[in-house]
């Protein structure tokens, strides 16, 4: 007589809900990683008894559609533009000009102003509309 043994129970791990859990964990870490700024480095800076200040000057140079030049809302003739910029930036280490040019002007007008800035070693930054 052959005695049958009971079928052995094989343990199983139900992984049906594991996909949902992994999805939520992935979403959680993506959201948290965008909130944390990894580029920030916290430093304790040393103290100094005296400080050196760099003199910066920034002006706005505007050119309208009729090729009228303005330095901080003051009209300037085209011929005096280079001399005015040189006198404004005398004894200034970091020279910056925010350049506001009308969109209807030719590219050559922009290049002429940029050449004056390159001649005087002035950093030119072009202002644009959003």
């Amino acid at each position: 007589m052959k005695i049958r043994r009971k079928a052995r129970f094989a343990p199983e791990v139900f992984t049906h809900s594991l996909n949902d859990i992994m999805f939520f964990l992935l979403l959680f870490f993506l959201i948290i990683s965008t909130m944390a700024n990894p580029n920030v480095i916290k430093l304790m800076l040393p103290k100094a008894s005296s400080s050196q200040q760099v003199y910066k000057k920034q002006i706005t140079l505007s050119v309208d559609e009729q090729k009228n030049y303005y330095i901080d809302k003051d009209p300037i003739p085209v011929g005096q533009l280079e001399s005015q910029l040189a006198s404004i930036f005398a004894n200034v280490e970091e020279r910056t000009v925010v350049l506001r040019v009308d969109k209807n002007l030719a590219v050559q007008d922009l290049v002429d102003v940029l050449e004056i800035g390159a001649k005087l070693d002035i950093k030119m930054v072009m202002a644009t509309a959003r």
Side-chain angles (χ1 to χ4, degrees):
M1 163 180 232
K2 214 173 192 185
I3 299 178
R4 274 189 171 192
R5 290 191 177 181
K6 286 185 180 179
R8 287 194 138 196
F9 177 71
E12 292 183 25
V13 177
F14 293 105
T15 59
H16 301 294
S17 63
L18 196 59
N19 291 336
D20 295 336
I21 293 170
M22 292 304 293
F23 175 74
F24 284 120
L25 283 174
L26 177 70
L27 209 93
F28 173 75
F29 285 117
L30 281 175
I31 292 171
I32 293 300
S33 67
T34 57
M35 284 189 206
N37 191 354
N39 297 331
V40 175
I41 299 173
K42 295 181 181 179
L43 296 174
M44 298 298 292
L45 297 176
K47 294 181 181 179
S49 58
S50 65
S51 63
Q52 177 186 6
Q53 294 184 355
V54 177
Y55 185 60
K56 296 180 184 180
K57 183 147 182 133
Q58 175 180 332
I59 64 167
T60 302
L61 175 63
S62 304
V63 185
D64 64 7
E65 195 170 359
Q66 290 80 28
K67 296 183 184 179
N68 297 323
Y69 292 82
Y70 301 92
I71 294 180
D72 290 333
K73 298 182 182 179
D74 298 327
I76 302 293
V78 181
Q80 296 179 2
L81 183 62
E82 186 174 351
S83 62
Q84 282 285 345
L85 287 174
S87 65
I88 289 172
F89 286 120
N91 301 323
V92 176
E93 291 179 23
E94 291 190 31
R95 305 167 177 181
T96 305
V97 171
V98 177
L99 191 58
R100 302 181 73 223
V101 180
D102 191 87
K103 66 180 178 179
N104 297 324
L105 283 178
V107 176
Q108 186 60 45
D109 299 322
L110 174 64
V111 170
D112 294 339
V113 174
L114 291 175
E115 283 179 349
I116 292 172
K119 211 184 291 184
L120 297 174
D121 193 33
I122 297 174
K123 178 181 175 184
M124 296 280 195
V125 178
M126 180 98 176
T128 59
R130 286 188 177 189

